[in-house]
């Protein structure tokens, strides 16, 4: 199995630990641990290893799904990974056959630009056709998805709201994609890690019908990335397969993560209200900064904006490297999303840090 290097994560690994300000973070500022009870008792495995049944039942209610239609994972990254292997990954784990009949000829349709893992992992498991969103509006054309579907298509992959563009595809578009998946005996997998930052969130894809799969976590919308706690919700056959693949990855979710996750989900209304207020404030600050400097973006939902590279810089990497070297601020080059004329900015961090980071970026723009 060969997989492309994860360019964005390697960029972060090289630069973020030495930089003063992380202005490429794609989530909301982190909540303090002392907000929660952090004593889970004895440090054993989570039993059963797919997550506490009461917690899975609570998550499942939010998707109109049952307890056995949810598996708890180490973040949304593992949830997506397990979903891809369950639907596309050749032979199913021993003792289980999935309804989607995965195999080496399996095909996926992936809407891009998106988080690299959402196309790189399917690329290793079968054939992938990418359906590009085009600037400046990044609007998704369902007809393009329909045209990309093949007889071997087992999965359509969407990230909504989209990372990096912040485009929130409307319910009508999502339902059309769901119908395309259902009509072709495939699944629609939607990575929904930013969904709850929207003022009026769409229904999750897993609640639309049996061909819908949703992945999410407490990292982006909740500000609890350090928990490494996420989930996959959807069709029982896929979830069962994911549990069997999970025996070869993390076995069970982390005990600390699950312990705090239970509390955070119980407190979700308050946490999400706080985070939406922060995002609204920071969104306005960032929009005013970009307008002042003549930079453009599609007005985003969530905490990511995909911004045009300033004049005088060859591409996103050149601009982001200059900001790093001169002002010790990390931005994300658009090259990692297939658009070298752009860079991604994250505005979910504490407001004072955001303002300091923007001021430093402004110095580079003023000197350019």
């Amino acid at each position: 199995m060969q997989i492309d290097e994860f360019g964005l994560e390697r960029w972060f690994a090289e630069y973020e630990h030495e930089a003063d300000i992380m202005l490429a973070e794609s989530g909301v500022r982190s909540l303090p641990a002392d907000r929660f009870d952090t004593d889970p008792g004895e440090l054993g495995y989570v039993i059963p290893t797919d997550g506490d049944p009461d917690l899975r039942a609570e998550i499942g209610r939010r998707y109109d799904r049952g307890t056995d239609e949810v598996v708890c994972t180490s973040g949304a990254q593992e949830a997506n990974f397990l979903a891809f292997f369950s639907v596309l990954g050749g032979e199913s784990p021993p003792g289980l056959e999935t309804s989607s009949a995965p195999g080496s000829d399996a095909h996926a349709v992936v809407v891009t630009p998106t988080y690299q893992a959402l196309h790189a992992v399917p690329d290793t498991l079968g054939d992938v056709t990418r359906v590009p969103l085009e600037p400046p509006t990044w609007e998704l054309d369902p007809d393009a998805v329909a045209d990309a579907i093949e007889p071997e298509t087992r999965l359509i992959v969407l990230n909504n709201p989209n990372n990096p563009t912040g485009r929130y595809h409307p319910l009508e578009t999502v339902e059309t994609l769901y119908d395309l998946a259902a009509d072709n005996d495939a699944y629609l997998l939607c990575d929904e890690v930013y969904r709850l930052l929207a003022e009026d969130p769409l229904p999750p894809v897993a609640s639309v019908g049996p061909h819908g799969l949703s992945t999410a976590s407490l990292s982006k919308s909740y500000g609890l990335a350090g928990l490494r706690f996420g989930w996959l919700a959807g069709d029982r056959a896929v979830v069962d397969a994911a549990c069997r693949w999970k025996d070869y990855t993390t076995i069970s979710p982390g005990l600390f993560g699950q312990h705090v996750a239970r509390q955070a989900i119980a407190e979700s209304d308050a946490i999400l209200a706080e985070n939406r207020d922060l995002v609204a404030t920071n969104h306005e600050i960032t929009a005013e900064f970009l307008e002042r400097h003549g930079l453009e973006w599609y007005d985003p939902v969530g905490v990511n904006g995909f911004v045009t590279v300033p004049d005088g810089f060859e591409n996103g990497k050149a601009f982001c490297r200059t900001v790093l070297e001169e002002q010790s601020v990390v931005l994300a080059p658009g090259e990692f999303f297939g658009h070298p004329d752009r860079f991604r900015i994250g505005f979910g961090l504490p407001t004072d840090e955001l303002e300091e980071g923007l001021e430093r970026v402004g110095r580079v723009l003023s000197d350019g």
Side-chain angles (χ1 to χ4, degrees), residues 48-110:
T49 55
D50 53 351
D52 175 73
D54 290 340
L55 181 55
R56 285 189 287 120
E58 176 59 33
I59 294 170
R61 278 192 287 273
R62 297 162 189 249
Y63 295 86
D64 296 329
R65 294 283 185 169
T67 303
D68 293 332
E69 294 175 302
V70 175
V71 55
C72 297
T73 61
S74 181
Q77 181 81 301
E78 186 186 27
N80 288 321
F81 190 90
L82 295 175
F84 293 142
F85 266 74
S86 299
V87 178
L88 301 173
E91 293 297 324
S92 300
L96 183 72
E97 294 181 359
T98 68
S99 61
S100 58
S104 60
D105 61 345
H107 175 259
V109 178
V110 182

Side-chain angles (χ1 to χ4, degrees), residues 130-171:
R130 302 188 191 190
V131 174
L133 306 174
E134 298 295 342
T137 63
W138 310 103
E139 185 175 359
L140 175 57
D141 179 5
D143 288 340
V145 176
D147 291 343
I149 291 175
E150 302 177 359
E152 296 80 14
T153 300
R154 298 289 173 259
L155 196 63
I156 299 171
V157 182
L158 183 68
N159 171 212
N160 201 35
N162 177 261
N163 172 14
T165 68
R167 182 63 148 106
Y168 201 14
H169 305 295
L171 180 59

Side-chain angles (χ1 to χ4, degrees), residues 103-125:
S104 60
D105 61 345
H107 175 259
V109 178
V110 182
V111 178
T112 61
T114 192
Y115 188 61
Q116 184 175 331
L118 295 180
H119 58 79
V121 177
D123 269 335
T124 70
L125 299 172

Side-chain angles (χ1 to χ4, degrees), residues 180-303:
L180 287 170
D183 290 345
N184 289 275
D185 194 25
Y187 292 101
L188 172 61
L189 169 65
C190 192
D191 182 320
E192 298 169 339
V193 291
Y194 302 105
R195 183 178 70 90
L196 295 178
L197 289 177
E199 288 298 324
D200 187 18
L202 298 182
V205 164
S207 72
V208 176
H211 292 264
L213 304 172
S214 292
T215 57
S217 75
L218 298 182
S219 297
K220 306 302 184 182
S221 298
Y222 284 76
L224 293 167
L227 293 187
R228 308 311 307 133
F229 192 87
W231 54 84
L232 163 66
D235 181 59
R236 173 70 182 272
V238 177
V239 169
D240 282 351
C243 291
R244 292 171 181 256
W245 283 114
K246 194 172 187 298
D247 292 341
Y248 291 95
T249 56
T250 59
I251 300 179
S252 81
L255 186 66
F256 282 107
Q258 177 175 271
H259 179 65
V260 176
R262 186 182 294 110
Q263 301 168 63
I265 289 173
E267 197 185 333
S268 61
D269 287 348
I271 291 173
L272 291 169
E274 294 171 21
N275 289 348
R276 287 177 188 141
D277 286 346
L278 173 72
V279 170
T281 296
N282 289 1
H283 176 281
E284 183 176 353
I285 291 170
T286 306
E288 290 175 352
F289 171 86
L290 297 177
E291 183 177 3
R292 191 162 61 249
H293 289 280
L295 302 178
E296 298 177 1
W297 68 355
Y298 174 84
D299 194 26
V301 172
V303 290

